[in-house]
Amino acid sequence: MKHVLDHIHGSALPATATGTVASYIPALAKADPSLLGIAVVTADGEVFSTGAAETRFTMQSISKVLALAYVTDRMRRRGCLLPGRAGAKRRSLQFHDPPGNQRCHKPFNPFINAGAIVVSGLMPGSTPEDKGARFRAFVGQLIGRDDVARDEEVYISEKATAARNRSIAWFLKELGILPGEVEETLDVYFRQCAVSVDALDLARIGAILCTDGMDPTRGVRLLAARTTRVIKSLMVTCGLYDGSGEFAVDVGIPAKSGVGGGIMASVRDRMGIGVYGPALDQHGNSSAGLEALRRLSEELDLRVL
Ligand code: GLN
């Protein structure tokens, strides 16, 4: 496996030159666009990696997966959200699209910002700091680390420039959908997006999803099977925004991207995969990360769709 990953790293690396790092959150523009890291954690707990697999970056939209898992699994708030109807009501896949006319008064998709901000509003805790800390502890339980940190610079940078997310949140408030006070809920959202991980961490999360919620290395249940089913279905339908359809055809596995350059993927009963490449394509997905996943899927026959 290590040999396969090294080979794929070499052949996917040129794709870093076809993308650009995100700059609408100014601190993200500091990332090195030439990086590519790939990590795999198998269903029986073996770990393999290559390239920049231990370079830390912010989860950004990958945190939407974990926030949804946290709120539905730990808080049993299923009725508030759409799980079970995975993405069926989506109208758009751009991550920053406004919520639109919501007659149902429910977020129609927890993997685009409007729905994700509502999920952030449902997180347990007394203050944004407390909610952010509890969320990081939850992420730490999944990846087996108790030092999960927030990237302060990225957090402050997003908070200072998030005009579009602010307008989305105020729109949600006006519709009566957003729980809590607008700025506080946004603060929780920015905190969760700025949680710092590496490709190995993402592979560990993917491995938990691949075994329907069991931790492959420790053999304990970390997420309810139903939660993982909901999450993986959403990942297939809208994990890569407007790139989701093409990815389903080309790669054929559930995956979720973030503008920090990470992609977390999961192959049922086989492995979790984490990739990191901060140069992004036009949909906000890692260019080289996608190329690596395409090649990995082909090489190891990972397609499940
Ligand atoms: N924090 C980012 C935002 O809200 C997340 C977007 C993404 O990763 N696609 O714009």
Side-chain angles (χ1 to χ4, degrees):
M1 176 69 89
K2 170 68 177 152
H3 178 72
V4 170
L5 292 190
D6 287 342
H7 176 70
I8 284 170
H9 182 266
S11 43
L13 203 56
T16 57
T18 64
T20 41
V21 294
S23 57
Y24 77 101
I25 299 174
L28 292 181
K30 294 185 179 174
D32 177 354
S34 70
L35 293 180
L36 174 62
I38 311 170
V40 162
V41 174
T42 64
D44 47 18
E46 280 191 284
V47 179
F48 303 92
S49 67
T50 186
E54 290 178 54
T55 301
R56 293 268 164 95
F57 55 91
T58 53
M59 291 186 119
Q60 298 301 332
S61 283
I62 299 168
S63 73
K64 292 167 180 166
V65 175
L66 298 167
L68 181 65
Y70 185 35
V71 169
T72 54
D73 200 274
R74 297 293 194 265
M75 296 177 64
R76 317 239 176 268
R77 295 294 292 269
R78 280 181 199 131
C80 308
L81 301 164
L82 57 64
R85 297 181 194 281
K89 290 203 171 185
R90 70 160 198 249
R91 288 174 200 162
S92 160
L93 289 179
Q94 293 291 341
F95 65 80
H96 49 25
D97 279 334
N101 289 324
Q102 304 255 330
R103 296 215 175 128
C104 61
H105 282 214
K106 282 183 186 174
F108 56 81
N109 186 338
F111 282 8
I112 69 163
N113 291 11
I117 292 168
V118 173
V119 174
S120 303
L122 296 169
M123 286 211 196
S126 50
T127 59
E129 291 81 0
D130 182 37
K131 292 177 186 187
R134 289 192 197 203
F135 176 69
R136 279 186 284 117
F138 170 72
V139 175
Q141 279 170 17
L142 298 185
I143 62 185
R145 293 204 272 119
D146 56 13
D147 62 346
V148 176
R150 178 178 63 244
D151 183 321
E152 205 58 19
E153 191 187 353
V154 172
Y155 159 64
I156 289 169
S157 181
E158 177 163 25
K159 192 170 167 160
T161 53
R164 190 187 288 247
N165 279 334
R166 278 203 173 79
S167 43
I168 289 171
W170 280 106
F171 194 9
L172 291 164
K173 191 74 189 167
E174 197 274 332
L175 292 168
I177 300 170
L178 195 71
E181 201 274 318
V182 174
E183 268 308 318
E184 287 195 4
T185 296
L186 281 166
D187 196 13
V188 177
Y189 175 73
F190 303 141
R191 283 168 189 273
Q192 79 181 53
C193 286
V195 168
S196 184
V197 289
D198 62 21
L200 275 162
D201 294 329
L202 296 185
R204 286 200 175 90
I205 298 165
I208 295 165
L209 297 180
C210 99
T211 50
D212 288 345
M214 298 299 288
D215 179 332
T217 43
R218 290 169 286 175
V220 290
R221 176 162 293 286
L222 293 172
L223 293 171
R226 183 180 153 76
T227 302
T228 65
R229 208 177 312 141
V230 168
I231 286 168
K232 285 186 281 186
S233 305
L234 278 164
M235 285 164 70
V236 167
T237 52
C238 44
L240 296 168
Y241 301 105
D242 279 338
S244 302
E246 205 178 322
F247 186 83
V249 174
D250 287 353
V251 187
I253 58 177
K256 181 76 196 85
S257 65
V259 290
I263 304 177
M264 184 266 289
S266 183
V267 188
R268 190 179 180 83
D269 293 333
R270 289 186 62 186
M271 67 185 74
I273 308 167
V275 293
Y276 169 59
L280 309 178
D281 69 7
Q282 76 274 25
H283 303 306
N285 302 320
S286 170
S287 302
L290 287 178
E291 185 58 24
L293 287 167
R294 262 185 223 113
R295 287 172 185 264
L296 205 56
S297 176
E298 190 75 30
E299 185 77 24
L300 301 176
D301 193 19
L302 300 180
R303 163 175 302 285
V304 292
L305 297 175

